[in-house]
Amino acid sequence: MSTTETTRVVITESGRMGRVAYARIAPNEDLVQGVEKMCLAEGFRNAFVRGGLGSLVDASLGTRDGGYQQVSGPAVEVVSIAGEVRSGADGVPVASLAGIVADTDGNVYGGPFLAGWNPVCMTFEVTLEEWIPDGEEPA
Amino acid sequence: MSPTLQSGYHRPRMLRHVGRFSPVRIQSMHYQSGRHIRLLLQPGRSLYDALVRPLQAIGVTSASTTILGGHFDHLEYCVAPPDPSGKAVIAYSSPIDAGASFMVFGNATLGKDMEGRPLVHCHASVRVEDGSVKGGHIVPQASIIGATPISVLVTALEGFELRQAFDDETNIPLLKPFKES
């Protein structure tokens, strides 16, 4: 991926785990932005996903060519998910989430969840654990 | 196979639910730290018993768990198609018998049901008996751990608890965080 970022790339980052938060994200909210808003609500700058499960109306998963694969529901169940949230200098949390989804026949698809394109169907449960890099105190 | 779309005008689809819209869209609670436990799911037990009983014994009743890969002697899962009765927008299907299976990766939430009993909500991807990979809502009482214990990373939730409560908007009971009762 090309980037014009001018921030210093840190390859290893030491730190510790902080607070743990659980949220239930309501229907029609976007999964990725929902996790980001959860971080705004809880004051988490950086976090790892410790667990997540729930359903989406339809899923949109990014593809290598910059397009996306749409998996039609409802409901598309999220059956595996991993990811993290990082905040830049502006303090805006950005979630990067990837996982496996299952359609209404149980067939599976995988990839990154595109922000704004993965509306929750019934509920989404997510547990985040705050990540506090050395030298940064939590907000 | 769902289509891979390259471009074109498209927007995410919303659904109108049966009940009244709730203005609170993200129900979130936190605690100052997490408590982590490595749990081994014991052979021959149901996923429900293998998760619930050992955690109950150490006082854990609300948790998020990551189930690492492992064999099941028997596994059942449900998918979530539209609800033909119209009582909710979707409803779980009847359990699908996956036979002897390998759970590739799963997440399970432990909380309490509306009667205060332990509740396990588990979604996972699974290689089923015929060799294909499927995914869905695992039926924890009907899924039996295979001959080798399965590792689970438990993040126990403290300072609040997860309880099933009726959700007016979706018209089904759902797990939500509450202050401890």
Side-chain angles (χ1 to χ4, degrees):
Chain A
M1 192 177 82
S2 66
T3 176
T4 55
E5 280 183 354
T6 54
T7 49
R8 188 167 58 91
V9 175
V10 177
I11 296 174
T12 59
E13 181 179 79
S14 299
R16 63 183 171 88
M17 292 297 183
R19 296 167 288 178
V20 169
Y22 172 98
R24 181 259 166 159
I25 301 174
N28 297 318
E29 296 300 311
D30 178 63
L31 169 60
V32 179
Q33 292 174 320
V35 168
E36 292 166 348
K37 291 172 190 172
M38 174 185 174
C39 286
L40 288 175
E42 296 292 355
F44 288 9
R45 285 183 51 82
N46 303 300
F48 288 103
V49 174
R50 277 296 193 192
L53 68 161
S55 57
L56 305 173
V57 179
D58 307 296
S60 295
L61 305 169
T63 55
R64 273 176 62 86
D65 59 3
Y68 61 92
Q69 179 182 36
Q70 189 179 26
V71 182
S72 296
V76 173
E77 300 208 81
V78 175
V79 296
S80 301
I81 189 167
E84 66 167 357
V85 181
R86 301 289 294 184
S87 292
D90 59 4
V92 177
V94 176
S96 302
L97 307 177
I100 311 281
V101 299
D103 67 15
T104 54
D105 293 317
N107 297 319
V108 290
Y109 310 83
F113 294 100
L114 296 186
W117 294 77
N118 286 283
V120 170
C121 183
M122 303 299 271
T123 191
F124 201 91
E125 301 175 37
V126 62
T127 299
L128 296 181
E129 191 156 22
E130 186 182 26
W131 170 247
I132 305 167
D134 287 346
E136 278 189 32
E137 283 314 302
Chain B
M1 187 77 180
S2 292
T4 299
L5 305 178
Q6 301 302 321
S7 61
Y9 186 74
H10 178 65
R11 53 168 294 158
R13 175 166 54 151
M14 294 207 319
L15 295 180
R16 179 178 287 278
H17 285 268
V18 176
R20 191 165 50 86
F21 179 87
S22 165
V24 179
R25 309 312 294 166
I26 298 174
Q27 292 163 279
S28 173
M29 296 188 88
H30 79 265
Y31 189 62
Q32 62 207 35
S33 63
R35 174 182 169 197
H36 296 105
I37 298 145
R38 178 173 182 259
L39 167 67
L40 285 174
L41 303 177
Q42 294 302 299
R45 307 287 294 271
S46 70
L47 174 60
Y48 181 88
D49 281 342
L51 267 175
V52 166
R53 305 303 167 207
L55 292 176
Q56 208 169 35
I58 57 169
V60 173
T61 56
S62 291
S64 285
T65 72
T66 300
I67 304 173
L68 306 182
H71 290 280
F72 281 68
D73 282 342
H74 179 80
L75 186 139
E76 295 181 20
Y77 69 99
C78 301
V79 292
D83 183 355
S85 77
K87 288 181 187 161
V89 298
I90 63 146
Y92 282 126
S93 67
S94 300
I96 298 165
D97 186 344
S101 303
F102 184 86
M103 185 178 285
V104 180
F105 182 95
N107 277 134
T109 308
L110 172 65
K112 293 176 182 168
D113 71 11
M114 293 209 282
E115 282 75 46
R117 296 170 301 208
L119 174 75
V120 173
H121 186 200
C122 177
H123 285 195
S125 45
V126 175
R127 190 182 66 211
V128 302
E129 190 159 324
D130 73 6
S132 60
V133 177
K134 298 287 188 177
H137 169 99
I138 308 300
V139 184
Q141 287 87 347
S143 298
I144 308 299
I145 311 299
T148 308
I150 300 172
S151 296
V152 178
L153 172 61
V154 179
T155 303
L157 301 173
E158 298 180 317
F160 61 94
E161 65 181 13
L162 306 181
R163 288 206 307 268
Q164 194 181 38
F166 189 78
D167 182 65
D168 286 334
E169 182 173 352
T170 55
N171 204 34
I172 62 168
L174 295 170
L175 276 173
K176 297 178 182 180
F178 292 95
K179 286 183 180 168
E180 284 177 310
S181 54

